[in-house]
Amino acid sequence: MGQDTARAIELYRAGRRDEALALAEQALREAPGDSGALNLAGAILHGMGRLDEARERLERLVALDPLFMQARVNLAVVLQAKGARTEAAAHFRMVAVLKPEVPELQERLGSLLHVLGDYGGAARHLRHAVRLVPGDPDRRVMLAVSLISNGDHAEAAEILTGVLALHPGHADARSHLAAVRLSLGRPDLTEVMLSDAVSPDGAALAGEDADLLARARLYRRIAGDAGRPQMPDGLLVRAPFSVLSGYGDFAQHFVRSLMECGQSLRLVGLTGEESWRPSFADPILQAAVRRLGEPLRPRLALSVLTPPLVEPVPGVPTVNYTMFEGPRISPSFAACSRRHDLVIVPTDSSRLAWIAAGHPEDRIRVCPPGIAPNPADAGALPLPIAGPRGRGVMDYRVRVLNISDFVARKNLDGLLRVWLRATRAGDDAILILKVGKGGSALVGEMRRLVEQCMRATGRRLEEAAPIALLTDRYDEQAIAALYAMATHYFSLSHGEGWDLPITRAGCLGAGLIAPRHSAYTAYLNDEVAHLIPCTTGPALMPYSTDHYPAFHGLDWWHPDEDAAADILSRVIRDPEGERRDAARHLMDNFTWDAAARRLLDALDAVGGRVGGGARG
C-alpha cells in the first residue's frame, strides 16, 4: 500500500471524505492496480451516490484480486443499491462460502435472497446464521419469516415458540406465531397467547395483533356453532370483500349468485367480521342479506384467497377458490394447498399448475367465474382527455386500452416495445395505458421503463403512434369512462389467473388482442379475439437477470412480440376488416348463475350437500 493510499484511509476515517477520495484517485493514477485505493474509492463513491463509478472501481479490483473479500462485499452492496440484486447475491454467496464463520454475511445473504423470492435459499443461510449465534432472537425470527414465506409453517411455529420461551416480550415473534397458528387451524392457541397480551405502553392490543385475536375468537365461535344441531346449515365464506382486487370482485359475485340459488351464508372478511353486503331488489333476498352476519352451522369454510392467506376453522372442511398465473405454482402455494380439503380454480391452466407441483388431482376442481357487464359501465361517458400531442383521445379512430398494475408479470415493457415497433407517428391510433392504482412514484418508474424500451427498439416515442399514460388514482366512475373510450383492449401479460379488465372490455364490444396462454384460452378463441403465440421461459424482471420474486425459480409465458406487432399493425390499418367481437361469446358462455351451480357441485364432493336451497 502506497503512502497516498494510507493517508487517504486516515482521512476517510477522520470523516474527510472528499479529501480521501481525491488522494485515492491520485494514488490510482500513479498505480492503477493499487487494491487499497480501489477499494477505498469504491466505498467513498458508493457513499456519495455515484454508483456507476463505484461499481467500475470495485469490479476492476475484484478482477485483479478475486479473493479480496471486503471488495466483494462492497461490490455486492453497490450492485444491490443499483437494483442488480441477483449479481449482488452471487458476490455475497462467494464470500459466505469462503467465510462461513461470519454470521453477518450469512444474514445479509439470507435477507437478500428473501427479497428476491428465494425463500428456500434464504432459510438455508439464515439457519446457518442462527447456528453461529444461537442466542440471537432476532435472527431466529428472520429465519421463521423465511420459512413461513416458503410454506413451512410447522417449523416456523416451533422456532417462534422457542424464541418466546426465552424472550416472552418479543413482539415480532408473538405476532408471527399468532398468524402461523391461525394458518395451521389453531385459533385456540392464538387466543391463549394474545388474549392477555398488552403493548409496551400498557395499552390493549392494536393493529394486526388485535385483528389476529379477533379472528381467533371468531373462528372458535364458528367452530362451536358447527357442532350445534339447532343452528341452520349453511356456508362460511371468507374473502377480501371490501378490498379493490380480483379476489374481492369474484367473492362478491359468488355471494350474490349463491344467495340467488337459496344458500344460507355467513361472511368473514380478510381481517375479521365483514361489513360488505350485496344489494337485491327481491324482498326475500333482502331478508337473507340481513342474516349474513348471524351464526349458522357451516358445512364448509370457503375462502377466496391466495393459499397462504387461508385460515382453517377447526372441525370445518377447508376449501379455497384461488388461481395462479404460471405453468406451475410456487412451493409456498403447494405447501399451503396440501393442508386444504379442496382447491377450486377458475381454469384448466390453473389446475395444471397445481398438478405440476404435485397437488393430488382428486383434490382440485375447475369452476370458471361468470362474465357480466360491470354496473358502472351502463351510461358511462368517455373522459374528455387529450393525448400527448394535443389531439383529443376520442378523435383517434383506433383507441387501444390496457389497465394494469405496475408489476413485471403484466409485461408492460413488452407491450411498449410492440407499440413502438408496430406503429408510426401518422397512424390514426392511440394507446391508453392506465398503470397502477395511483402514486407519484409511478411516473418516474414508467419514465425509466419507457426509456429502456426506446433503447431496446431503437425507436423514439415521437416516431410511434401516441401513448396516453395515466398514473393518477381513478374512482370507479372514471375507470368506467376509460373502458367507454376503448375500441380495443391489448394485453401482452406473461400469465393470468383470469384477467378481469379484458373480460370487462370484451363485454363492452372492444376488440381483444391477447396472448394464447393461461386463462385467456378458457374464454377466448380465434373466432372472437386475436391471439398471440407464446413460448415459456424464466420469469425475470424487465431488462434484468433478477427473477420476479413471486415467481422465483419458475417459468411464465413469453408472447411472441413479432407476431403481436404484426397483429397490432393490421388492426390499426384496417380495424373494421380485422374486427372480432367477443361480447356475446363471453356473456352467453360464462354466466354467474352457471358459475354458482358449478361451485356448489364442486363443494358437494367435500362436505355433502351445502345448505338447503333449491338447486334446480
Side-chain angles (χ1 to χ4, degrees):
M1 182 186 298
Q3 290 184 347
D4 285 345
T5 301
R7 176 58 179 161
I9 292 173
E10 291 178 5
L11 291 170
Y12 179 67
R13 290 172 177 168
R16 296 162 65 179
R17 186 179 66 177
D18 292 344
E19 295 173 68
L21 178 60
L23 202 53
E25 295 289 9
Q26 179 178 315
L28 289 173
R29 285 191 291 272
E30 297 171 359
D34 186 328
S35 59
L38 283 169
N39 189 49
L40 179 61
I44 294 174
L45 289 165
H46 167 256
M48 298 172 71
R50 293 159 63 179
L51 300 180
D52 289 334
E53 295 171 82
R55 178 176 183 172
E56 186 277 328
R57 306 297 192 280
L58 293 167
E59 285 184 336
R60 195 193 329 164
L61 172 53
V62 167
L64 290 169
D65 187 355
L67 296 181
F68 194 151
M69 293 297 102
Q70 187 56 54
R72 281 196 182 274
V73 171
N74 290 345
L75 176 56
V77 170
V78 170
L79 290 168
Q80 192 171 356
K82 283 181 61 62
R85 296 178 297 188
T86 297
E87 295 177 61
H91 287 287
F92 276 131
R93 187 177 285 110
M94 181 174 291
V95 179
V97 168
L98 294 175
K99 289 184 169 292
E101 73 283 1
V102 182
E104 291 77 15
L105 286 173
Q106 303 292 336
E107 178 184 332
R108 190 154 199 169
L109 176 56
S111 298
L112 177 54
L113 292 175
H114 185 94
V115 171
L116 286 168
D118 182 3
Y119 303 125
R124 284 194 299 275
H125 290 281
L126 292 172
R127 199 188 305 279
H128 191 156
V130 165
R131 284 196 295 267
L132 292 170
V133 192
D136 186 335
D138 293 338
R139 285 193 171 101
R140 288 184 174 273
V141 172
M142 289 174 63
L143 170 59
V145 169
S146 275
L147 290 168
I148 293 167
S149 298
N150 205 42
D152 301 326
H153 289 70
E155 185 181 356
E158 182 179 348
I159 291 170
L160 294 167
T161 300
V163 170
L164 288 171
L166 296 174
H167 306 275
H170 201 295
D172 284 346
R174 183 188 67 199
S175 297
H176 288 302
L177 182 56
V180 166
R181 285 174 167 171
L182 283 188
S183 295
L184 292 172
R186 294 302 306 269
D188 54 331
L189 297 180
T190 295
E191 183 176 6
V192 168
M193 182 174 61
L194 292 179
S195 58
D196 296 326
V198 295
S199 60
D201 61 0
L205 288 174
E208 186 177 353
D209 282 355
D211 290 338
L212 288 166
L213 178 57
R215 291 204 303 281
R217 289 172 170 167
L218 175 61
Y219 297 154
R220 295 200 69 193
R221 291 197 300 273
I222 292 170
D225 294 340
R228 296 175 183 168
Q230 69 274 21
M231 289 283 187
D233 288 343
L235 181 65
L236 176 70
V237 185
R238 179 170 179 250
F241 294 102
S242 302
V243 178
L244 182 61
S245 69
Y247 279 96
D249 187 85
F250 288 140
Q252 289 184 11
H253 277 291
F254 270 123
V255 163
R256 290 188 184 97
S257 300
L258 289 170
M259 293 181 71
E260 288 171 347
C261 287
Q263 299 303 305
S264 297
L265 306 177
R266 182 172 184 183
L267 307 187
V268 176
L270 196 57
T271 60
E273 294 281 7
E274 179 55 52
S275 60
W276 175 83
R277 295 291 184 267
S279 58
F280 296 101
D282 188 324
I284 295 177
L285 290 173
Q286 288 177 0
V289 168
R290 290 192 291 272
R291 296 194 297 272
L292 280 176
E294 296 178 2
L296 50 71
R297 184 172 61 176
R299 299 280 189 88
L300 290 164
L302 171 66
S303 296
V304 186
L305 294 166
T306 59
L309 294 178
V310 176
E311 295 170 344
V313 176
V316 180
T318 301
V319 180
N320 190 29
Y321 187 96
T322 187
M323 64 201 72
F324 195 67
E325 301 91 356
R328 177 167 60 88
I329 61 173
S330 63
S332 62
F333 272 39
C336 293
S337 295
R338 282 193 294 271
R339 297 195 294 267
H340 305 155
D341 296 279
L342 182 68
V343 174
I344 303 177
V345 293
T347 68
D348 201 51
S349 172
S350 283
R351 184 182 73 87
L352 293 174
W354 257 260
I355 292 171
H359 190 82
E361 293 188 39
D362 62 343
R363 288 202 284 125
I364 187 162
R365 299 284 189 278
V366 175
C367 174
I371 297 175
N374 190 297
D377 293 337
L381 299 176
L383 286 176
I385 58 177
R389 298 168 193 173
R391 181 180 172 188
V393 169
M394 291 302 295
D395 290 340
Y396 289 89
R397 183 185 185 194
V398 177
R399 303 178 295 277
V400 182
L401 177 65
N402 179 280
I403 298 178
S404 295
D405 285 333
F406 189 71
V407 295
R409 180 175 59 79
K410 293 297 185 178
N411 196 19
L412 295 178
D413 54 309
L415 187 146
L416 289 168
R417 285 192 299 269
V418 168
W419 187 263
L420 289 171
R421 292 176 52 201
T423 68
R424 298 294 179 265
D427 288 339
D428 196 6
I430 187 167
L431 173 62
I432 308 163
L433 184 54
K434 170 68 180 77
V435 181
K437 296 180 174 67
S440 57
L442 278 180
V443 176
E445 294 287 343
M446 279 302 302
R447 183 180 295 115
R448 282 188 287 273
L449 186 63
V450 169
E451 290 170 353
Q452 289 174 310
C453 293
M454 288 193 293
R455 287 195 295 271
T457 59
R459 287 178 57 78
R460 301 189 309 275
L461 283 179
E462 295 78 14
E463 298 176 275
I467 301 173
L469 178 61
L470 310 175
T471 58
D472 292 338
R473 183 178 296 276
Y474 282 39
D475 60 20
E476 186 58 37
Q477 184 177 358
I479 290 293
L482 292 182
Y483 284 100
M485 299 170 73
T487 60
H488 295 77
Y489 192 97
F490 180 26
S491 169
L492 212 66
S493 170
H494 288 300
E496 292 293 335
W498 188 253
D499 196 359
L500 287 169
I502 202 169
T503 60
R504 182 171 175 178
C507 286
L508 291 169
L512 306 181
I513 307 171
R516 191 190 300 276
H517 66 53
S518 62
Y520 296 122
T521 61
Y523 50 79
L524 297 179
N525 58 53
D526 291 310
E527 293 182 0
V528 301
H530 291 280
L531 296 179
I532 303 161
C534 305
T535 57
T536 56
L540 303 180
M541 297 292 288
Y543 302 104
S544 172
T545 58
D546 288 357
H547 276 86
Y548 180 49
F551 277 65
H552 187 275
L554 301 176
D555 288 344
W556 56 21
W557 288 275
H558 292 267
D560 184 329
E561 294 185 14
D562 289 336
D566 178 65
I567 290 170
L568 184 62
S569 62
R570 293 201 322 264
V571 167
I572 289 174
R573 283 197 311 269
D574 185 12
E576 292 305 318
E578 293 291 332
R579 181 162 184 78
R580 300 180 187 182
D581 190 352
R584 182 172 294 279
H585 167 77
L586 293 174
M587 291 187 287
D588 286 354
N589 290 283
F590 297 90
T591 68
W592 275 106
D593 178 68
R597 294 179 187 279
R598 281 192 295 263
L599 178 62
L600 290 170
D601 287 339
L603 296 179
D604 280 349
V606 178
R609 197 172 183 84
V610 179
R615 293 285 299 279

